[in-house]
Amino acid sequence: MITIYLLEFLLFSFFGWVLDSTYRSITEKKWINAGYFKGPFCPIYGFGGLVLLFVFKYLEFLPLFLLFLIGGMSLIVVEYLGG
């Protein structure tokens, strides 16, 4: 179980880094490494992805609007704690 969470964390961290680096590179018109580390890894996206997985898994009985609202608020808390 912990292995799955670790792999999901790494996948979210990598794909978040790819999207963030791509967006910044396009807007700046030069290569920008969006990660904090030398490698392709941005942990805030990993934590955010795991939080969303838990929200959608354990609160799936809620209406869709409320589910998205709680998911969004959860990501705000993750960003606040990470910053």
Side-chain angles (χ1 to χ4, degrees), residues 12-13 39 42 55 68 82:
F12 284 124
S13 297
C42 198
V55 166
F68 281 124

Side-chain angles (χ1 to χ4, degrees), residues 20 36 42-48 51 72-83:
D20 199 6
Y36 302 110
C42 198
I44 193 73
Y45 295 117
F47 287 119
V51 165
M73 295 301 288
S74 300
L75 290 180
I76 290 171
V77 170
V78 168
E79 286 283 338
Y80 181 74
L81 292 175

Side-chain angles (χ1 to χ4, degrees), residues 1 5 53-61 67:
M1 189 69 148
Y5 291 138
L53 283 178
F54 285 121
V55 166
F56 290 147
K57 180 178 180 180
Y58 293 114
L59 300 177
E60 64 185 356
F61 58 89
L67 193 61

